[in-house]
Amino acid sequence: MVQHNFKSITVVPNGKDLIDIILSRTQRQTPTVVHRGNAIATIRTFYIRKVKFTQENFCEKLSTMIGQFPRLDGIHPFYGDLLHVLYNKDHYKLALGQINTAQKIITKIGVDYERLLKYGDSQYRLKCLKVAALGRMCTVIKRISSSLAYLEQVRQHMARLPSIDPTAKTILICGYPNVGKSSFINKITRADVDVQPYAFTTKSLFLGHTDYKHLTYQVIDAPGILDRPFEDRNIIEMCSITALAHLRASSILFFLDISGACGYSIAQQANLFHSIKSLFMNKPLIIVCNKTDLQPLASISEEDMKLVMEMKAEAFKTVVGQGGEPTDDDSVLLTMSTLTGEGVIAVKDAACERLLNQRVEMKMKSNKISGCLNRLHVATPKQRDQKERPPCIPPAILEAKAKQPAADKEKRKTEKDMENENGGAGVYSMNLRKNYILANDGWKEDILPEILDGHNVYDFMDPDIPHKVEELTWEEGTRQAEAEDGNFEIEGTELTPKQQAALAELRKRKSFLIQQHRMKKRTAGSRPTVARKHDKDKQYTSTRMGRQLSSLGLDTTLAIKRMRSRSVFRRGRKRGRSLETRSTDGGDRMDIDGDKPSKKQRLSRSLSRGRSVPRLPIEVVPGEGFKDSAQKSKARELAKKSVKKRNKDARRGEADRVIPSLKPKHLFSGKRSIGKTERR
């Protein structure tokens, strides 16, 4: 099978991540320390190894990228043109070309600096050459960052493409948008293509598989095509054109919506058929009239019927032109309805049979069949006598089948069958009460049961509920009308003119305060916060409130006393006071009504109100299980030490510049003498 597994392409890192990966690998896998007493030749080898290792790693990464991405000239033309439609072949080749050029430049940089490092005469010059070499390599990678990002986007899109085999037996569905192509592939395969009542729901190729005569056929749902010039078609339509042009071993199903529910007339669909009929050459073609549940084929107008007959004649000419047998021309025009399922299996079987016959005829015409016929021998058994031997069924099986009740022989109707009969999913609602076990089957559909928990439900219902609801509604409407007219009442008594004036003044004042508060909220961002002691206006004091309410003729003594008691309570909470009312024996009772405590009581309360001291981390709390503070301190240190390594390894990745051991033994120990090497 000629398949291209685009999902196996590895992730393409961006420029910064690629630099971090290579430099981190160089740091980890090459020596990192030069000793003071080393000879200049050893130091040259040290830095040459660094440069060469970095250059080889860069080239290895870049060559892997180039090798994994497919060459458009070396794959099947279907995939080549599909990738050109989706990503633009020129941009794709240019990005791969830049990666290849960067690989060659890095190789040249490594060779040049390796030559220069051979003639370095000091450690300082060798280190400068090494830094310059690695820097130039990283600069090359930074310049191709845009190409790396483009290839990563292409890789992600290619991984989502379906695995279509261009040489396998294929049924290709095409036509205008919203004519029922996706519904058909969902019916005959296990594909789950989104179906919506608007055009261009399918924006790419979708693949499904079906079986016919023990053979597997792949079914491709192509996006809709519009009748317009070739150069005006978009990427979605070009995917369908590419599949029609390059999938040779395919049977074409051209869908025709004769009801007009798709938004396009039969004349427009006929024009599309004639404009792309050149793509149907050498392929079995069937015209499928869909949505016959909305309008049968026989009920369309004469003009539309004439267009359909012309399309049928063209399809029949295509069959005869391919060298096939001129069968009944009704086989190239079929009707079906994907909603009711009528004719769906017949269309699938006809497409598979036509494709199978065509492939058999092509193989019979080829030269390979002659070699196969020489090796085949069909054995036919000869009849030894004239006695007839009909098939024998054991009598026990016949008796068991006869005793089987008729109800078991019939297929039981399931909820799925009832759903299909009554409009399908979203229309049919399953009755959950039909399987209730009740004394009377007539109770199953009752909205409210007659008997509940042994009581008659009707005994607890008030028959005057509708009348009372109407009275409440009328009363509410009357109150709203009176409120709009300004006739205020308090407990059934109308307000006096003086009270009405006072109420109007209060409402006016309330409206003013609301507007003032909203203005403050709007300007809160630019207005500085002023402490309460600097509020010269003193707008919200109890004295001012009492003065304003007294001017309206109201007694404010109780309100002011309540307000002051609340302020005392809040200040006490802020300072950590306790307002618990103790017994008279304790002598520490604060009367909220305004009685001041004695001097002795105030002194004792101030002494008991000391500031709380924070507990130290190593202080032992009863119940923790520690003997003393030293034991708790030691346990805390051991806990920190146990999680230190896990915290360091928690987020370590390939690109992290990590030195596992700050002082490795083989770099900080002397030369081994002759003797034991157990340490190794």
Side-chain angles (χ1 to χ4, degrees):
M1 296 178 66
V2 183
Q3 287 187 343
H4 303 277
N5 188 13
F6 298 132
K7 297 178 177 61
S8 62
I9 303 175
T10 57
V11 178
V12 179
N14 56 36
K16 185 177 180 301
D17 290 346
L18 181 59
I19 292 172
D20 288 345
I21 290 170
I22 300 302
L23 294 184
S24 176
R25 187 179 297 176
T26 303
Q27 182 73 7
R28 293 196 315 268
Q29 298 185 9
T30 57
T32 56
V33 177
V34 178
H35 294 288
R36 185 179 301 174
N38 286 347
I40 190 65
T42 306
I43 299 175
R44 286 194 194 113
T45 306
F46 174 84
Y47 286 109
I48 289 173
R49 182 178 178 182
K50 288 269 188 186
V51 173
K52 194 171 182 180
F53 186 85
T54 306
Q55 174 246 321
E56 290 176 353
N57 277 276
F58 271 124
C59 293
E60 180 186 356
K61 278 283 186 181
L62 297 179
S63 62
T64 302
M65 295 178 197
I66 297 171
Q68 287 186 342
F69 278 91
R71 294 180 56 203
L72 299 185
D73 300 333
I75 60 178
H76 195 276
F78 165 69
Y79 279 110
D81 283 2
L82 185 61
L83 296 180
H84 173 59
V85 167
L86 295 174
Y87 320 118
N88 195 336
K89 175 169 58 177
D90 298 334
H91 294 173
Y92 179 78
K93 289 184 176 180
L94 184 62
L96 289 178
Q98 289 180 350
I99 301 295
N100 191 24
T101 303
Q103 178 187 358
K104 294 178 181 178
I105 293 174
I106 290 176
T107 303
K108 188 174 183 304
I109 291 172
V111 172
D112 293 345
Y113 276 89
E114 185 179 351
R115 187 182 301 113
L116 292 175
L117 286 168
K118 289 182 180 178
Y119 299 98
D121 55 353
S122 66
Q123 182 179 354
Y124 175 75
R125 290 187 179 180
L126 292 171
K127 187 174 183 179
C128 290
L129 289 173
K130 187 264 295 185
V131 171
L134 268 59
R136 287 187 62 185
M137 294 179 189
C138 295
T139 303
V140 173
I141 297 298
K142 288 180 181 178
R143 288 178 180 174
I144 62 171
S145 295
S146 59
S147 299
L148 294 173
Y150 170 77
L151 288 177
E152 172 60 16
Q153 294 295 324
V154 171
R155 183 200 67 82
Q156 293 179 5
H157 199 171
M158 290 170 65
R160 293 192 290 268
L161 291 176
S163 299
I164 298 175
D165 184 3
T167 61
K169 297 178 287 296
T170 307
I171 300 175
L172 184 59
I173 311 169
C174 65
Y176 256 91
N178 201 22
V179 295
K181 303 185 296 296
S182 301
S183 301
F184 178 72
I185 192 175
N186 288 342
K187 288 282 186 180
I188 66 172
T189 67
R190 300 177 67 180
D192 187 14
V193 186
D194 188 20
V195 178
Q196 297 294 340
Y198 49 81
F200 287 109
T201 306
T202 305
K203 298 181 180 179
S204 61
L205 299 175
F206 282 89
L207 180 66
H209 293 85
T210 186
D211 294 334
Y212 178 73
K213 290 186 177 180
H214 307 288
L215 297 176
T216 302
Y217 293 77
Q218 61 182 6
V219 186
I220 298 177
D221 178 19
I225 310 173
L226 299 178
D227 182 24
R228 52 185 176 181
F230 184 80
E231 58 273 5
D232 294 341
R233 290 195 169 104
N234 54 24
I235 295 177
I236 298 176
E237 296 174 84
M238 289 305 298
C239 291
S240 299
I241 298 297
T242 303
L244 287 171
H246 292 290
L247 294 179
R248 298 290 182 185
S250 62
S251 179
I252 308 296
L253 296 180
F254 186 84
F255 270 54
L256 192 67
D257 185 2
I258 58 176
S259 66
C262 64
Y264 304 98
S265 63
I266 296 180
Q268 291 175 310
Q269 299 179 62
N271 292 336
L272 173 65
F273 176 82
H274 292 297
S275 65
I276 63 174
K277 65 181 181 181
S278 59
L279 299 173
F280 302 153
M281 299 303 296
N282 300 325
K283 299 172 186 175
L285 173 62
I286 298 177
I287 300 173
V288 181
C289 297
N290 193 16
K291 302 185 182 179
T292 55
D293 56 323
L294 299 178
Q295 184 175 6
L297 180 61
S299 63
I300 62 176
S301 62
E302 294 182 0
E303 296 179 358
D304 293 341
M305 182 62 75
K306 183 178 179 182
L307 294 174
V308 173
M309 290 298 109
E310 290 178 358
M311 297 168 61
K312 179 180 177 181
E314 289 288 342
F316 186 70
K317 289 179 183 178
T318 306
V319 175
V320 177
Q322 294 171 4
E325 297 181 0
T327 57
D328 184 12
D329 57 353
D330 290 336
S331 61
V332 299
L333 180 65
L334 301 176
T335 59
M336 73 169 188
S337 172
T338 54
L339 180 61
T340 61
E342 180 183 358
V344 172
I345 302 300
V347 171
K348 185 200 83 167
D349 294 346
C352 296
E353 187 67 29
R354 291 278 302 281
L355 181 59
L356 186 60
N357 293 338
Q358 187 213 29
R359 290 170 67 91
V360 171
E361 290 174 3
M362 291 178 62
K363 290 182 179 179
M364 292 294 292
K365 293 177 182 179
S366 63
N367 296 328
K368 295 181 179 179
I369 192 65
S370 59
C372 296
L373 289 176
N374 295 332
R375 291 176 291 177
L376 293 177
H377 173 68
V378 180
T380 305
K382 293 182 180 180
Q383 191 173 3
R384 60 187 180 185
D385 52 23
Q386 301 298 326
K387 185 178 180 181
E388 294 184 1
R389 293 179 174 83
C392 179
I393 301 177
I397 301 296
L398 295 175
E399 292 177 2
K401 190 173 182 181
K403 292 179 181 179
Q404 186 179 7
D408 295 344
K409 297 178 182 178
E410 297 179 358
K411 182 181 178 182
R412 185 172 62 89
K413 184 177 289 187
T414 62
E415 287 291 339
K416 185 68 174 177
D417 298 335
M418 298 175 64
E419 178 183 334
N420 295 332
E421 292 176 1
N422 294 280
V427 179
Y428 172 74
S429 180
M430 184 174 65
N431 187 6
L432 300 177
R433 301 178 180 177
K434 64 182 181 181
N435 295 324
Y436 284 1
I437 302 174
L438 301 176
N440 188 358
D441 290 341
W443 297 347
K444 293 182 180 179
E445 303 300 330
D446 290 346
I447 298 176
L448 189 66
E450 294 183 4
I451 306 298
L452 183 65
D453 297 334
H455 300 283
N456 192 352
V457 177
Y458 194 75
D459 294 340
F460 300 92
M461 292 180 62
D462 190 354
D464 297 334
I465 286 178
H467 179 64
K468 292 181 179 179
V469 170
E470 291 180 1
E471 289 182 354
L472 289 175
T473 306
W474 176 82
E475 184 179 351
E476 185 67 22
T478 306
R479 288 184 179 180
Q480 291 181 358
E482 291 177 354
E484 293 175 358
D485 296 340
N487 299 326
F488 304 101
E489 295 183 1
I490 298 178
E491 296 180 358
T493 307
E494 294 188 0
L495 297 177
T496 63
K498 186 176 181 180
Q499 290 175 340
Q500 290 184 6
L503 184 59
E505 184 66 25
L506 284 174
R507 289 189 172 180
K508 183 178 179 181
R509 179 61 181 167
K510 181 181 177 182
S511 176
F512 173 75
L513 293 177
I514 291 173
Q515 295 294 334
Q516 190 178 17
H517 176 66
R518 289 175 179 171
M519 188 179 299
K520 283 187 177 182
K521 284 185 69 176
R522 285 198 299 268
T523 60
S526 59
R527 179 166 46 83
T529 304
V530 181
R532 193 162 186 172
K533 63 181 180 179
H534 299 300
D535 186 10
K536 304 300 182 184
D537 297 338
K538 296 188 180 297
Q539 296 183 5
Y540 306 108
T541 61
S542 59
T543 306
R544 184 170 182 176
M545 183 191 73
R547 187 167 61 251
Q548 290 179 353
L549 294 178
S550 298
S551 64
L552 298 174
L554 301 175
D555 186 12
T556 60
T557 306
L558 295 177
I560 292 175
K561 185 182 292 186
R562 184 169 177 269
M563 186 175 179
R564 287 176 178 171
S565 65
R566 283 192 173 187
S567 64
V568 170
F569 178 71
R570 288 172 181 166
R571 285 200 301 273
R573 286 182 63 186
K574 288 183 179 178
R575 297 171 186 169
R577 296 176 180 176
S578 176
L579 294 179
E580 297 178 358
T581 305
R582 302 184 182 181
S583 62
T584 56
D585 298 337
D588 191 12
R589 184 181 185 276
M590 179 177 178
D591 200 354
I592 297 181
D593 292 338
D595 298 338
K596 294 183 179 179
S598 63
K599 184 176 180 181
K600 185 177 180 181
Q601 291 173 349
R602 292 198 303 270
L603 181 62
S604 63
R605 190 182 299 117
S606 63
L607 291 176
S608 66
R609 205 165 48 235
R611 180 172 294 181
S612 60
V613 180
R615 184 184 292 116
L616 296 176
I618 60 174
E619 184 178 347
V620 178
V621 179
E624 285 186 338
F626 295 108
K627 182 174 62 177
D628 51 8
S629 299
Q631 189 181 22
K632 184 175 181 180
S633 177
K634 186 175 181 181
R636 285 169 57 84
E637 293 296 328
L638 291 175
K640 289 181 181 179
K641 189 175 181 181
S642 65
V643 301
K644 184 176 181 181
K645 186 176 185 303
R646 290 200 299 271
N647 292 340
K648 287 180 66 177
D649 297 341
R651 299 183 65 85
R652 180 181 298 180
E654 186 184 5
D656 294 334
R657 296 175 180 173
V658 179
I659 302 175
S661 178
L662 297 178
K663 288 189 175 183
K665 181 70 176 176
H666 68 284
L667 295 179
F668 288 89
S669 60
K671 295 182 179 180
R672 289 187 294 159
S673 59
I674 300 175
K676 296 181 179 179
T677 58
E678 292 178 356
R679 180 180 63 80
R680 295 285 180 176

